[in-house]
Amino acid sequence: MAYAYLFKYIIIGDTGVGKSCLLLQFTDKRFQPVHDLTIGVEFGARMITIDGKQIKLQIWDTAGQESFRSITRSYYRGAAGALLVYDITRRDTFNHLTTWLEDARQHSNSNMVIMLIGNKSDLESRREVKKEEGEAFAREHGLIFMETSAKTASNVEEAFINTAKEIYEKIQEGVFDINNEANGIKIGPQHPTTNSTLSSSQGSHQAGGGCC
Amino acid sequence: MTACSAACLPACVSSVWFVFPRSRTELDERPRPLSACLSRRGAASPCGGNRSHRPVEPRRRSAMLTRVKSAVANFMGGMMAGGNNGDHPGGSDLPLKYPYSRPEFLGLSPDEIECSADHVARPILILKETRRLPWSTGYAEVINAGKSTLNEDQACCEVLVVKRRPAGCSTPNRTSEDLTFHYWALFDGHAGSGAAVVAARLLHHHVALHLQEVMEILCSPGLLPPTCLGEEAASLRGAAGAPGSPSTPPTRFFTEKKVSHESLVIGAIENAFKDMDVQIEKEKSVYNISGGCTALVVVYLLGKLYVGNAGDSRAIIVRAGEVIPMSAEFTPESERQRLQFLAYMQPHLLGNEFTHLEFPRRVQRKEVGKRMLYRDFTMSGWAYKTIEDDDLKFPLIYGEGKKARVLATIGVTRGLGDHNLKVHDSNIYIKPFLSCCPEVRVYPLAQCEHGADDVLVLGTDGLWDVLSNQEVAEAVTCFLTNCDPDDQHRYTMAAQDLIMRARGVLKDRGWRIPNDRLGSGDDISVFIIPLAYGNKQS
C-alpha cells in the first residue's frame, strides 16, 4: 500500500512488561493473556494517518531477557522511535529504565524519539509505581510519557500515534535527514494517489527541505 | 541491480562474484534464444516436467505424493504471480515461477518480509515461538549487509511420505508401507534469487519421486537391489533355481556387483539434483528464473542421514563436542583439475579467450620464451614450462581462496541453475563448467548414541567464511549446555546465537565480531538439527 513515510519503531524494556501484547493490540486490536516469550525479534506493521498523510509504522518487538540483550542492542540502529516499556505492577522493571535508556542512547541515532510507557494500567490494585514517578522520570530524561493497558487497549493507539506525531514534527523541522535510512525513516515509493501531482510535488519539495 | 551491485563489490568482500581485472563484472541476464530442445510442455509441469529419459507421466506419478497438492497449488500461485520481483530491473519480461519469499516454515507476512530485508540493522530471523520444525530443529537467518537487495539464501524443511506406486508395476509384488523421510535443505543463490526460490520449493519433490521408484526395495531390508527389475526372482535364485524355494541359496552363473540399499538412496538424491537442474533449464523458456544457487540437502531415511552437497555451504556433525565434517565445498580451487581437464578436452568452451593452464599470476607478454611455474589438470604440484603466446590468455581458474573464480566469473563450481550465465561481454557460457551433481555422505544415525547436545549444523558460506568448524562446534556446545534442556526452542536460540557470532555488530568500520575480526556481510542461514530425535524414531 502506498505511504508517504515509513517510520521504524523498536519496543524495548524488561521481560514480561507487555511489549508483545502492546504490539498485538496495536496491529491486531486483540489481547492475548498468555504470550510466548520473545526470543529474538518480531515484527508488526500498521498504517496510520497524520496530517492527512499515510504513514506506515514498522515495529520491531524485541526480547527483554538479559541473555538476549546483545542481540536486542543491535536492533536500535535505524529506528526513528522507541517505546520504552515498564510494568506499573513491578517496581524492578521501573528501576531498570536507566539501563535501558543508556543502551538506547548509546546504540541509536541521537534524534530517536523515545516514548516511556507504564503498561498494565488496568491492574490498579497491584500498582507499585505511581503515575507521577513515571512522569518525573520522563521529564528528567526528555521522554514522552503515557500509561497504557494492552489488555483494555487504553492509550495504546495514542502511544504509537503520538510517537509518530513527534517524529513527523521533527521531519517538518528538518531535524531528521530523511534520505538516510539509518534514521529509521523512509519516503514512500509513491505518494497517496489522490491529487497525486500536487502531493508529489509537495513531497519532493519537503524532501529537499529536509536534507538542507 | 542485484547482480550489478554484487559484481561491484570491493575485492575484500566475500562473494561468489569477483571484480575481474578486465572489468568482466556484469552478468548477462538477457533471456537466451529458445533452443529447439526446450519443451514448452515440459516447462509447465510442477514436478519434473516431461523428462525424456523418464517415460512415466510425471503428473500422474507425483499425485501419489501427499505433498503434491501443495506443490500444485504453489505452481498455480506461481502462474498467477506475474511481474518482476524487483530483483532484476531490465531483466526478463517473463513471469516469476514463484514470488520471492522467505522460507515457508517461517510463516512470514509480506510486512515481516519487508522488515527482514533491513540492511542497516540486519535482524536475525528465527523460527517463531508458535512454530515447530520436525525434531525440534532450530533455524535462524540474516540478510546481507547490502550486497543484494534481497536475501538470496533459501531454506526448506519437510517430512515427506512417499506412497507406493499403484499395482501393475514390475517391481516386487509385496505389501509395503509408506516410506517417510525427513528433509532439510539450504540454498545459496547468486545473480538473483530465482533459482534458489524454485529449488527450495521443488527439490524435495524430485527426491521423493526418485525414492518412490525404489521404495519397495528399500522397504525390504533382506532383499538386495535386483540388478534388473522384473528378473529379481531369477537373479536371486539363479537361472536354473527351482521356483518357490527361496531358502535355496542362490547359485550365480556370472559375477554380479552387489549394490547396497544405501547406494540406491544416494543415487536417488543425485538424480533428484539432476532433474531439478533440467527443470530449471526447461522452465527458463516460460518463467523468469534468475541466477543459480548452491544446494545442501539432508535426507533422513530408514535410520541413516544422507548429506548431499553441491556448492560451498557446509554441514558438520557436533558429537560430544567433536566435529565430524559431513560435506566438502566445491570451489574453483577444490575442483581445479576437473575444470582444467574439461577445458583441455573441449577447448572451444574457452572461446579462445582463456587458457586451461594455471600460473601463479598473470603472464606478461615480455615473459614469452621464459620458463615459468604452471600447473595442468594432471598435476597437484607445480613445474616449469616455456611460456608461449597462448599462455597470455586469461587463466580458466584465477584468484585465491574466497576470491578464486572460474572464467573470471563465479566462485562456486557446483549447484543448480546458471544456465544463462556468461562471461561478461562475451558468448562464453559458464554452465558447462558447473556440475549439478552433489557429493552425498552417509551417517548411520541409528547406530550411534546421541545426547541432547549432539547436532548436525548446516550453514551457508556466510557462516563458515568467518567461523571455523571448531569455533562453531564450541559455540553450539557451549550454548546448548547453558540452556534449559527441556526448552523446545533451544536449537533455534543456538542458531540465532551462531548467526549473531558470524554477523557481529555494526561498528564504525563495518560489521565486526570479537577481536576486531571482520563479521560476515553475506546472507547467512543456519539449521541446527538435534540428532537424539533420530534415535527416538528408530
PDB file of all heavy atoms in Angstrom, chain A residues 5 7 51 111 113 162-178 185 205-212:
ATOM      1  N   TYR A   5       5.349   8.192   4.289  1.00  0.00           N
ATOM      2  CA  TYR A   5       6.561   7.888   5.044  1.00  0.00           C
ATOM      3  C   TYR A   5       6.436   6.532   5.716  1.00  0.00           C
ATOM      4  O   TYR A   5       5.323   6.091   6.024  1.00  0.00           O
ATOM      5  CB  TYR A   5       6.795   8.912   6.159  1.00  0.00           C
ATOM      6  CG  TYR A   5       7.091  10.297   5.682  1.00  0.00           C
ATOM      7  CD1 TYR A   5       6.135  11.301   5.817  1.00  0.00           C
ATOM      8  CD2 TYR A   5       8.322  10.623   5.126  1.00  0.00           C
ATOM      9  CE1 TYR A   5       6.395  12.590   5.389  1.00  0.00           C
ATOM     10  CE2 TYR A   5       8.592  11.911   4.699  1.00  0.00           C
ATOM     11  CZ  TYR A   5       7.623  12.896   4.834  1.00  0.00           C
ATOM     12  OH  TYR A   5       7.891  14.161   4.418  1.00  0.00           O
ATOM     13  N   PHE A   7       7.980   4.843   9.210  1.00  0.00           N
ATOM     14  CA  PHE A   7       8.776   5.053  10.426  1.00  0.00           C
ATOM     15  C   PHE A   7       9.086   3.696  11.042  1.00  0.00           C
ATOM     16  O   PHE A   7       8.187   2.882  11.221  1.00  0.00           O
ATOM     17  CB  PHE A   7       8.001   5.857  11.475  1.00  0.00           C
ATOM     18  CG  PHE A   7       7.650   7.263  11.062  1.00  0.00           C
ATOM     19  CD1 PHE A   7       6.684   7.981  11.776  1.00  0.00           C
ATOM     20  CD2 PHE A   7       8.273   7.885   9.983  1.00  0.00           C
ATOM     21  CE1 PHE A   7       6.346   9.277  11.414  1.00  0.00           C
ATOM     22  CE2 PHE A   7       7.940   9.191   9.613  1.00  0.00           C
ATOM     23  CZ  PHE A   7       6.971   9.886  10.329  1.00  0.00           C
ATOM     24  N   ASP A  51      -1.771  14.297   9.785  1.00  0.00           N
ATOM     25  CA  ASP A  51      -1.768  15.491   8.941  1.00  0.00           C
ATOM     26  C   ASP A  51      -2.216  15.139   7.512  1.00  0.00           C
ATOM     27  O   ASP A  51      -1.664  15.636   6.541  1.00  0.00           O
ATOM     28  CB  ASP A  51      -0.336  16.085   8.935  1.00  0.00           C
ATOM     29  CG  ASP A  51      -0.335  17.524   8.488  1.00  0.00           C
ATOM     30  OD1 ASP A  51      -1.426  18.136   8.459  1.00  0.00           O
ATOM     31  OD2 ASP A  51       0.756  18.030   8.139  1.00  0.00           O
ATOM     32  N   ASN A 111      18.572  11.402  17.283  1.00  0.00           N
ATOM     33  CA  ASN A 111      17.257  12.025  17.136  1.00  0.00           C
ATOM     34  C   ASN A 111      16.103  11.078  17.439  1.00  0.00           C
ATOM     35  O   ASN A 111      14.943  11.470  17.336  1.00  0.00           O
ATOM     36  CB  ASN A 111      17.086  12.545  15.704  1.00  0.00           C
ATOM     37  CG  ASN A 111      18.011  13.703  15.433  1.00  0.00           C
ATOM     38  OD1 ASN A 111      18.139  14.592  16.267  1.00  0.00           O
ATOM     39  ND2 ASN A 111      18.679  13.669  14.287  1.00  0.00           N
ATOM     40  N   VAL A 113      13.072   9.328  18.766  1.00  0.00           N
ATOM     41  CA  VAL A 113      12.040   9.760  19.708  1.00  0.00           C
ATOM     42  C   VAL A 113      11.730   8.606  20.649  1.00  0.00           C
ATOM     43  O   VAL A 113      11.440   7.500  20.203  1.00  0.00           O
ATOM     44  CB  VAL A 113      10.763  10.177  18.945  1.00  0.00           C
ATOM     45  CG1 VAL A 113       9.626  10.446  19.916  1.00  0.00           C
ATOM     46  CG2 VAL A 113      11.042  11.392  18.077  1.00  0.00           C
ATOM     47  N   ASN A 162       1.129   9.155  18.996  1.00  0.00           N
ATOM     48  CA  ASN A 162       1.811  10.347  19.496  1.00  0.00           C
ATOM     49  C   ASN A 162       3.308  10.308  19.199  1.00  0.00           C
ATOM     50  O   ASN A 162       3.921  11.336  18.921  1.00  0.00           O
ATOM     51  CB  ASN A 162       1.582  10.501  21.010  1.00  0.00           C
ATOM     52  CG  ASN A 162       0.148  10.897  21.316  1.00  0.00           C
ATOM     53  OD1 ASN A 162      -0.652  11.114  20.399  1.00  0.00           O
ATOM     54  ND2 ASN A 162      -0.191  10.989  22.591  1.00  0.00           N
ATOM     55  N   THR A 163       3.879   9.109  19.275  1.00  0.00           N
ATOM     56  CA  THR A 163       5.293   8.967  18.919  1.00  0.00           C
ATOM     57  C   THR A 163       5.496   9.352  17.453  1.00  0.00           C
ATOM     58  O   THR A 163       6.440  10.070  17.110  1.00  0.00           O
ATOM     59  CB  THR A 163       5.770   7.517  19.164  1.00  0.00           C
ATOM     60  OG1 THR A 163       5.404   7.134  20.491  1.00  0.00           O
ATOM     61  CG2 THR A 163       7.267   7.386  18.999  1.00  0.00           C
ATOM     62  N   ALA A 164       4.581   8.879  16.621  1.00  0.00           N
ATOM     63  CA  ALA A 164       4.687   9.175  15.188  1.00  0.00           C
ATOM     64  C   ALA A 164       4.543  10.679  14.945  1.00  0.00           C
ATOM     65  O   ALA A 164       5.241  11.253  14.099  1.00  0.00           O
ATOM     66  CB  ALA A 164       3.622   8.406  14.418  1.00  0.00           C
ATOM     67  N   LYS A 165       3.624  11.321  15.704  1.00  0.00           N
ATOM     68  CA  LYS A 165       3.429  12.770  15.526  1.00  0.00           C
ATOM     69  C   LYS A 165       4.722  13.516  15.856  1.00  0.00           C
ATOM     70  O   LYS A 165       5.110  14.449  15.152  1.00  0.00           O
ATOM     71  CB  LYS A 165       2.304  13.262  16.440  1.00  0.00           C
ATOM     72  CG  LYS A 165       0.916  12.959  15.888  1.00  0.00           C
ATOM     73  CD  LYS A 165      -0.161  13.516  16.799  1.00  0.00           C
ATOM     74  CE  LYS A 165      -1.537  13.189  16.244  1.00  0.00           C
ATOM     75  NZ  LYS A 165      -2.574  13.273  17.304  1.00  0.00           N
ATOM     76  N   GLU A 166       5.370  13.069  16.923  1.00  0.00           N
ATOM     77  CA  GLU A 166       6.621  13.706  17.333  1.00  0.00           C
ATOM     78  C   GLU A 166       7.695  13.555  16.244  1.00  0.00           C
ATOM     79  O   GLU A 166       8.401  14.505  15.922  1.00  0.00           O
ATOM     80  CB  GLU A 166       7.092  13.046  18.644  1.00  0.00           C
ATOM     81  CG  GLU A 166       8.335  13.643  19.229  1.00  0.00           C
ATOM     82  CD  GLU A 166       8.040  14.655  20.332  1.00  0.00           C
ATOM     83  OE1 GLU A 166       6.846  14.940  20.570  1.00  0.00           O
ATOM     84  OE2 GLU A 166       8.996  15.160  20.931  1.00  0.00           O
ATOM     85  N   ILE A 167       7.769  12.345  15.674  1.00  0.00           N
ATOM     86  CA  ILE A 167       8.752  12.122  14.592  1.00  0.00           C
ATOM     87  C   ILE A 167       8.393  12.994  13.388  1.00  0.00           C
ATOM     88  O   ILE A 167       9.256  13.628  12.788  1.00  0.00           O
ATOM     89  CB  ILE A 167       8.770  10.622  14.184  1.00  0.00           C
ATOM     90  CG1 ILE A 167       9.232   9.767  15.359  1.00  0.00           C
ATOM     91  CG2 ILE A 167       9.666  10.402  12.970  1.00  0.00           C
ATOM     92  CD1 ILE A 167       8.996   8.275  15.172  1.00  0.00           C
ATOM     93  N   TYR A 168       7.092  13.028  13.097  1.00  0.00           N
ATOM     94  CA  TYR A 168       6.625  13.810  11.946  1.00  0.00           C
ATOM     95  C   TYR A 168       6.989  15.282  12.122  1.00  0.00           C
ATOM     96  O   TYR A 168       7.444  15.939  11.175  1.00  0.00           O
ATOM     97  CB  TYR A 168       5.111  13.636  11.797  1.00  0.00           C
ATOM     98  CG  TYR A 168       4.557  14.287  10.556  1.00  0.00           C
ATOM     99  CD1 TYR A 168       4.745  13.718   9.304  1.00  0.00           C
ATOM    100  CD2 TYR A 168       3.842  15.485  10.637  1.00  0.00           C
ATOM    101  CE1 TYR A 168       4.253  14.313   8.166  1.00  0.00           C
ATOM    102  CE2 TYR A 168       3.344  16.089   9.506  1.00  0.00           C
ATOM    103  CZ  TYR A 168       3.544  15.504   8.274  1.00  0.00           C
ATOM    104  OH  TYR A 168       3.057  16.102   7.144  1.00  0.00           O
ATOM    105  N   GLU A 169       6.793  15.796  13.347  1.00  0.00           N
ATOM    106  CA  GLU A 169       7.147  17.196  13.611  1.00  0.00           C
ATOM    107  C   GLU A 169       8.631  17.424  13.410  1.00  0.00           C
ATOM    108  O   GLU A 169       9.044  18.438  12.845  1.00  0.00           O
ATOM    109  CB  GLU A 169       6.746  17.581  15.046  1.00  0.00           C
ATOM    110  CG  GLU A 169       5.287  18.004  15.152  1.00  0.00           C
ATOM    111  CD  GLU A 169       4.817  18.091  16.599  1.00  0.00           C
ATOM    112  OE1 GLU A 169       5.666  18.365  17.479  1.00  0.00           O
ATOM    113  OE2 GLU A 169       3.618  17.870  16.834  1.00  0.00           O
ATOM    114  N   LYS A 170       9.421  16.469  13.874  1.00  0.00           N
ATOM    115  CA  LYS A 170      10.878  16.604  13.702  1.00  0.00           C
ATOM    116  C   LYS A 170      11.259  16.630  12.222  1.00  0.00           C
ATOM    117  O   LYS A 170      12.206  17.310  11.839  1.00  0.00           O
ATOM    118  CB  LYS A 170      11.615  15.463  14.418  1.00  0.00           C
ATOM    119  CG  LYS A 170      11.699  15.633  15.924  1.00  0.00           C
ATOM    120  CD  LYS A 170      12.755  14.698  16.503  1.00  0.00           C
ATOM    121  CE  LYS A 170      12.983  14.973  17.979  1.00  0.00           C
ATOM    122  NZ  LYS A 170      14.139  14.218  18.502  1.00  0.00           N
ATOM    123  N   ILE A 171      10.511  15.857  11.431  1.00  0.00           N
ATOM    124  CA  ILE A 171      10.792  15.882   9.986  1.00  0.00           C
ATOM    125  C   ILE A 171      10.479  17.272   9.429  1.00  0.00           C
ATOM    126  O   ILE A 171      11.266  17.842   8.660  1.00  0.00           O
ATOM    127  CB  ILE A 171       9.965  14.810   9.247  1.00  0.00           C
ATOM    128  CG1 ILE A 171      10.406  13.414   9.676  1.00  0.00           C
ATOM    129  CG2 ILE A 171      10.105  14.974   7.740  1.00  0.00           C
ATOM    130  CD1 ILE A 171       9.539  12.305   9.123  1.00  0.00           C
ATOM    131  N   GLN A 172       9.315  17.808   9.839  1.00  0.00           N
ATOM    132  CA  GLN A 172       8.920  19.130   9.362  1.00  0.00           C
ATOM    133  C   GLN A 172       9.963  20.174   9.754  1.00  0.00           C
ATOM    134  O   GLN A 172      10.233  21.109   9.007  1.00  0.00           O
ATOM    135  CB  GLN A 172       7.558  19.538   9.960  1.00  0.00           C
ATOM    136  CG  GLN A 172       6.426  18.554   9.708  1.00  0.00           C
ATOM    137  CD  GLN A 172       6.151  18.366   8.234  1.00  0.00           C
ATOM    138  OE1 GLN A 172       5.957  19.339   7.517  1.00  0.00           O
ATOM    139  NE2 GLN A 172       6.153  17.144   7.756  1.00  0.00           N
ATOM    140  N   GLU A 173      10.532  19.990  10.963  1.00  0.00           N
ATOM    141  CA  GLU A 173      11.535  20.952  11.436  1.00  0.00           C
ATOM    142  C   GLU A 173      12.890  20.722  10.770  1.00  0.00           C
ATOM    143  O   GLU A 173      13.817  21.504  10.978  1.00  0.00           O
ATOM    144  CB  GLU A 173      11.712  20.824  12.965  1.00  0.00           C
ATOM    145  CG  GLU A 173      10.494  21.288  13.753  1.00  0.00           C
ATOM    146  CD  GLU A 173      10.510  20.761  15.192  1.00  0.00           C
ATOM    147  OE1 GLU A 173      11.561  20.234  15.626  1.00  0.00           O
ATOM    148  OE2 GLU A 173       9.463  20.857  15.852  1.00  0.00           O
ATOM    149  N   GLY A 174      12.983  19.646  10.007  1.00  0.00           N
ATOM    150  CA  GLY A 174      14.250  19.369   9.320  1.00  0.00           C
ATOM    151  C   GLY A 174      15.309  18.742  10.213  1.00  0.00           C
ATOM    152  O   GLY A 174      16.489  18.764   9.892  1.00  0.00           O
ATOM    153  N   VAL A 175      14.878  18.178  11.335  1.00  0.00           N
ATOM    154  CA  VAL A 175      15.836  17.572  12.257  1.00  0.00           C
ATOM    155  C   VAL A 175      16.372  16.250  11.703  1.00  0.00           C
ATOM    156  O   VAL A 175      17.551  15.935  11.810  1.00  0.00           O
ATOM    157  CB  VAL A 175      15.185  17.328  13.639  1.00  0.00           C
ATOM    158  CG1 VAL A 175      16.127  16.570  14.554  1.00  0.00           C
ATOM    159  CG2 VAL A 175      14.773  18.655  14.265  1.00  0.00           C
ATOM    160  N   PHE A 176      15.462  15.485  11.081  1.00  0.00           N
ATOM    161  CA  PHE A 176      15.864  14.196  10.524  1.00  0.00           C
ATOM    162  C   PHE A 176      16.348  14.360   9.086  1.00  0.00           C
ATOM    163  O   PHE A 176      15.743  15.091   8.311  1.00  0.00           O
ATOM    164  CB  PHE A 176      14.659  13.246  10.479  1.00  0.00           C
ATOM    165  CG  PHE A 176      14.411  12.530  11.775  1.00  0.00           C
ATOM    166  CD1 PHE A 176      13.247  12.763  12.495  1.00  0.00           C
ATOM    167  CD2 PHE A 176      15.317  11.609  12.262  1.00  0.00           C
ATOM    168  CE1 PHE A 176      12.998  12.089  13.671  1.00  0.00           C
ATOM    169  CE2 PHE A 176      15.068  10.924  13.442  1.00  0.00           C
ATOM    170  CZ  PHE A 176      13.905  11.163  14.151  1.00  0.00           C
ATOM    171  N   ASP A 177      17.397  13.674   8.745  1.00  0.00           N
ATOM    172  CA  ASP A 177      17.766  13.555   7.341  1.00  0.00           C
ATOM    173  C   ASP A 177      17.015  12.352   6.799  1.00  0.00           C
ATOM    174  O   ASP A 177      17.404  11.207   7.005  1.00  0.00           O
ATOM    175  CB  ASP A 177      19.280  13.352   7.214  1.00  0.00           C
ATOM    176  CG  ASP A 177      19.690  13.064   5.780  1.00  0.00           C
ATOM    177  OD1 ASP A 177      18.819  13.159   4.887  1.00  0.00           O
ATOM    178  OD2 ASP A 177      20.872  12.759   5.552  1.00  0.00           O
ATOM    179  N   ILE A 178      15.900  12.645   6.118  1.00  0.00           N
ATOM    180  CA  ILE A 178      15.048  11.530   5.720  1.00  0.00           C
ATOM    181  C   ILE A 178      15.619  10.745   4.549  1.00  0.00           C
ATOM    182  O   ILE A 178      15.089   9.728   4.158  1.00  0.00           O
ATOM    183  CB  ILE A 178      13.615  12.008   5.374  1.00  0.00           C
ATOM    184  CG1 ILE A 178      13.666  13.165   4.389  1.00  0.00           C
ATOM    185  CG2 ILE A 178      12.861  12.403   6.614  1.00  0.00           C
ATOM    186  CD1 ILE A 178      12.301  13.591   3.938  1.00  0.00           C
ATOM    187  N   ILE A 185      13.599   6.318   8.837  1.00  0.00           N
ATOM    188  CA  ILE A 185      12.502   6.938   8.093  1.00  0.00           C
ATOM    189  C   ILE A 185      12.733   6.703   6.608  1.00  0.00           C
ATOM    190  O   ILE A 185      13.847   6.873   6.111  1.00  0.00           O
ATOM    191  CB  ILE A 185      12.456   8.461   8.358  1.00  0.00           C
ATOM    192  CG1 ILE A 185      12.161   8.707   9.835  1.00  0.00           C
ATOM    193  CG2 ILE A 185      11.409   9.135   7.483  1.00  0.00           C
ATOM    194  CD1 ILE A 185      12.449  10.105  10.283  1.00  0.00           C
ATOM    195  N   HIS A 205       9.342  18.595  -2.568  1.00  0.00           N
ATOM    196  CA  HIS A 205       9.807  19.858  -2.005  1.00  0.00           C
ATOM    197  C   HIS A 205      10.245  19.665  -0.560  1.00  0.00           C
ATOM    198  O   HIS A 205      11.310  20.099  -0.148  1.00  0.00           O
ATOM    199  CB  HIS A 205       8.692  20.905  -2.088  1.00  0.00           C
ATOM    200  CG  HIS A 205       9.082  22.231  -1.501  1.00  0.00           C
ATOM    201  ND1 HIS A 205       9.952  23.078  -2.143  1.00  0.00           N
ATOM    202  CD2 HIS A 205       8.745  22.826  -0.337  1.00  0.00           C
ATOM    203  CE1 HIS A 205      10.137  24.153  -1.403  1.00  0.00           C
ATOM    204  NE2 HIS A 205       9.410  24.030  -0.287  1.00  0.00           N
ATOM    205  N   GLN A 206       9.386  18.913   0.176  1.00  0.00           N
ATOM    206  CA  GLN A 206       9.710  18.666   1.575  1.00  0.00           C
ATOM    207  C   GLN A 206      10.997  17.860   1.712  1.00  0.00           C
ATOM    208  O   GLN A 206      11.817  18.128   2.571  1.00  0.00           O
ATOM    209  CB  GLN A 206       8.578  17.900   2.270  1.00  0.00           C
ATOM    210  CG  GLN A 206       7.440  18.798   2.646  1.00  0.00           C
ATOM    211  CD  GLN A 206       6.174  18.009   2.925  1.00  0.00           C
ATOM    212  OE1 GLN A 206       6.200  16.798   2.882  1.00  0.00           O
ATOM    213  NE2 GLN A 206       5.100  18.706   3.178  1.00  0.00           N
ATOM    214  N   ALA A 207      11.118  16.876   0.824  1.00  0.00           N
ATOM    215  CA  ALA A 207      12.312  16.043   0.903  1.00  0.00           C
ATOM    216  C   ALA A 207      13.547  16.913   0.718  1.00  0.00           C
ATOM    217  O   ALA A 207      14.533  16.772   1.429  1.00  0.00           O
ATOM    218  CB  ALA A 207      12.263  14.957  -0.172  1.00  0.00           C
ATOM    219  N   GLY A 208      13.442  17.846  -0.224  1.00  0.00           N
ATOM    220  CA  GLY A 208      14.565  18.742  -0.453  1.00  0.00           C
ATOM    221  C   GLY A 208      14.849  19.583   0.787  1.00  0.00           C
ATOM    222  O   GLY A 208      15.994  19.742   1.198  1.00  0.00           O
ATOM    223  N   GLY A 209      13.760  20.066   1.401  1.00  0.00           N
ATOM    224  CA  GLY A 209      13.925  20.895   2.603  1.00  0.00           C
ATOM    225  C   GLY A 209      14.561  20.108   3.728  1.00  0.00           C
ATOM    226  O   GLY A 209      15.387  20.635   4.465  1.00  0.00           O
ATOM    227  N   GLY A 210      14.182  18.832   3.802  1.00  0.00           N
ATOM    228  CA  GLY A 210      14.667  18.018   4.915  1.00  0.00           C
ATOM    229  C   GLY A 210      16.178  17.833   4.901  1.00  0.00           C
ATOM    230  O   GLY A 210      16.801  17.756   5.943  1.00  0.00           O
ATOM    231  N   CYS A 211      16.719  17.762   3.715  1.00  0.00           N
ATOM    232  CA  CYS A 211      18.138  17.438   3.683  1.00  0.00           C
ATOM    233  C   CYS A 211      19.022  18.674   3.764  1.00  0.00           C
ATOM    234  O   CYS A 211      20.227  18.582   3.899  1.00  0.00           O
ATOM    235  CB  CYS A 211      18.474  16.601   2.449  1.00  0.00           C
ATOM    236  SG  CYS A 211      18.648  17.532   0.948  1.00  0.00           S
ATOM    237  N   CYS A 212      18.408  19.827   3.645  1.00  0.00           N
ATOM    238  CA  CYS A 212      19.227  21.046   3.715  1.00  0.00           C
ATOM    239  C   CYS A 212      19.656  21.366   5.151  1.00  0.00           C
ATOM    240  O   CYS A 212      18.951  21.045   6.071  1.00  0.00           O
ATOM    241  CB  CYS A 212      18.450  22.241   3.172  1.00  0.00           C
ATOM    242  SG  CYS A 212      18.232  22.147   1.409  1.00  0.00           S
TER     243      CYS A 212
END
